[in-house]
Amino acid sequence: MAVKGDETRARLVGAARTLVEAKGYHGTGLNEVLALADAPRGSLYHHFPGGKDQLVGAAITAAGREVDDVVADLVAGTPTSKDLVLGLLDALADRMVAADFTKGCPVATVALEVAATNDDLQALCGGVYAGWQRALADALRVDGHGSAEADDLAATVLALVEGALVLARAGRSRVPVEQVGRRIARLLDA
Amino acid sequence: MAVKGDETRARLVGAARTLVEAKGYHGTGLNEVLALADAPRGSLYHHFPGGKDQLVGAAITAAGREVDDVVADLVAGTPTSKDLVLGLLDALADRMVAADFTKGCPVATVALEVAATNDDLQALCGGVYAGWQRALADALRVDGHGSAEADDLAATVLALVEGALVLARAGRSRVPVEQVGRRIARLLDA
DNA sequence: CAGAATATGTAGATCGGTCTAGAGAGGACT
DNA sequence: AGTCCTCTCTAGACCGATCTACATATTCTG
């Protein structure tokens, strides 16, 4: 594939990412993606012959990688569980506020929309979450937690972050993130 | 309003609730609502002259009341924070599993879809969450928590429940709820 | 009887997918 | 160097289906 095609494809994925994160899978029309990406319809089907699902799949995969990178940065500092949850909360909340609440968890809206209705995208979203949880659990084991306990704690960290972002976006306010951050820090210090 | 109209209106709201919870606001078409409710199009616009947004608004309001009732039942037993979070997790997870993952938090999907794009529905969803958080905080104050601490802990309880449901629906598995339940119980016992 | 409620058709807009033509780039060959 | 060929990629028109809202006529109910 040539450089020109790579750029067009990347613009399409980026546009799809932005739109599905703000409005979900069903709320994103391909005409909007094309307009935002400044790409022609023929290119979309050339690069994504599977159509909308394949494009959104690529967007979710890229979104998963973005959070993988955030987690990897946190993990590189051999963090405690408290470091992990507060670091993730801050990173994703900063991003959300900077994007005027059009962003939150880059996967959640699509994941909820397709959970019971689209097997392929559901499996993809489920896999992205499982990967994040696994990375968190690995870091927690390095921090001294036992194997089963690390899994439970990783799920708890991830659930807290996801839930705080839902509340924050629903209320267009960073306050829930701050409340959760304060409280969980105290719980994890005890 | 007559009994007949009340029943039709209720069927429309119930159908909308079911569909938006499974597939979101944009993923739910009015023709589907009409089919599920067994109601004619004229009745929809008669009862909801504001159209789709008004219907979905009524669905979200009803969904909020459903969780209000769950919380009220839990609160009636003068619960600890642990009782609250585990009780909510169980009630909503049982419902999710019984509905084959078409249900989770009855408001979350719509809340995320409209967070940055539909001021009226965003305000409504935000208000529903605020109401739940307030009810939890009030119960935690009865349980002996200080005022500011109760707010933070209520937000944390609600975020945990919301996040656990996101993970569970994304993975079509109750396991995340169980993991979160075990871990938070230990944290709150400490 | 009057207002509530039902019933169904229509309209313009948008949807995702398909199709065909053509442009551009690079390599092989003369 | 020029030509031809092949592959990649762009470009935009078109299609049938679906979308939400509106309109009008009719039926139902208290």
Side-chain angles (χ1 to χ4, degrees):
Chain A
M1 195 185 288
V3 173
K4 182 79 181 283
D6 282 346
E7 289 176 352
T8 303
R9 190 187 188 283
R11 288 201 314 277
L12 285 165
V13 173
R17 281 195 56 191
T18 297
L19 292 165
V20 298
E21 188 166 346
K23 308 194 285 182
Y25 171 86
H26 294 296
T28 296
L30 293 181
N31 286 337
E32 286 181 276
V33 175
L34 294 175
L36 186 58
D38 189 28
R41 184 171 297 279
S43 292
L44 191 154
Y45 287 96
H46 172 79
H47 292 293
F48 302 99
K52 182 172 181 175
D53 276 16
Q54 189 181 351
L55 172 61
V56 172
I60 295 296
T61 298
R65 275 203 222 98
E66 182 183 357
V67 177
D68 284 338
D69 291 345
V70 173
V71 173
D73 282 350
L74 292 174
V75 166
T78 60
T80 63
S81 57
K82 179 174 142 186
D83 296 331
L84 280 177
V85 65
L86 294 184
L88 259 183
L89 279 172
D90 274 349
L92 294 173
D94 287 347
R95 184 170 170 284
M96 170 185 71
V97 171
D100 213 22
F101 300 96
T102 59
K103 296 182 191 241
C105 169
V107 169
T109 310
V110 172
L112 290 177
E113 283 181 272
V114 305
T117 57
N118 183 322
D119 290 346
D120 293 337
L121 286 175
Q122 176 271 327
L124 184 63
C125 293
V128 167
Y129 277 120
W132 295 347
Q133 189 171 329
R134 202 159 38 240
L136 291 172
D138 289 346
L140 292 167
R141 281 186 203 100
V142 170
D143 189 37
H145 295 270
S147 189
E149 187 199 4
D151 283 338
D152 285 3
L153 185 54
T156 304
V157 166
L158 189 52
L160 257 180
V161 173
E162 290 293 316
L165 292 172
V166 170
L167 300 183
R169 276 196 82 212
R172 288 187 187 166
S173 164
R174 191 178 178 134
V175 169
V177 171
E178 292 162 2
Q179 290 177 314
V180 168
R182 282 196 297 268
R183 199 68 190 86
I184 197 62
R186 291 183 54 186
L187 285 174
L188 293 173
D189 274 341
Chain B
M1 196 184 293
V3 171
K4 182 83 180 285
D6 281 346
E7 289 175 352
T8 303
R9 189 185 189 283
R11 287 200 316 275
L12 285 165
V13 171
R17 282 195 55 190
T18 296
L19 291 166
V20 300
E21 188 167 346
K23 309 195 284 179
Y25 171 86
H26 293 296
T28 297
L30 294 180
N31 285 337
E32 287 181 273
V33 175
L34 295 174
L36 187 58
D38 189 28
R41 181 171 302 281
S43 291
L44 192 153
Y45 288 99
H46 170 79
H47 291 294
F48 302 99
K52 183 175 180 173
D53 277 14
Q54 189 181 350
L55 171 61
V56 173
I60 295 295
T61 299
R65 276 206 221 96
E66 182 183 358
V67 178
D68 285 337
D69 291 346
V70 174
V71 174
D73 281 351
L74 292 174
V75 167
T78 57
T80 61
S81 57
K82 180 174 142 188
D83 297 331
L84 280 178
V85 65
L86 295 185
L88 258 184
L89 278 173
D90 274 350
L92 294 174
D94 286 347
R95 186 170 168 281
M96 170 185 70
V97 171
D100 212 23
F101 300 96
T102 60
K103 296 183 193 247
C105 169
V107 169
T109 311
V110 171
L112 291 177
E113 282 182 90
V114 304
T117 56
N118 183 322
D119 290 346
D120 293 337
L121 286 176
Q122 177 270 326
L124 184 63
C125 293
V128 167
Y129 277 121
W132 295 345
Q133 189 172 329
R134 203 162 34 241
L136 292 171
D138 289 347
L140 293 167
R141 280 185 202 103
V142 170
D143 188 39
H145 295 269
S147 189
E149 188 199 3
D151 282 339
D152 286 1
L153 185 54
T156 304
V157 166
L158 188 52
L160 258 180
V161 173
E162 290 294 315
L165 291 172
V166 170
L167 299 182
R169 275 196 84 212
R172 285 186 190 171
S173 164
R174 192 178 174 131
V175 169
V177 171
E178 291 162 0
Q179 291 178 315
V180 167
R182 282 196 296 267
R183 199 68 187 88
I184 197 62
R186 291 182 55 186
L187 285 175
L188 293 173
D189 274 341

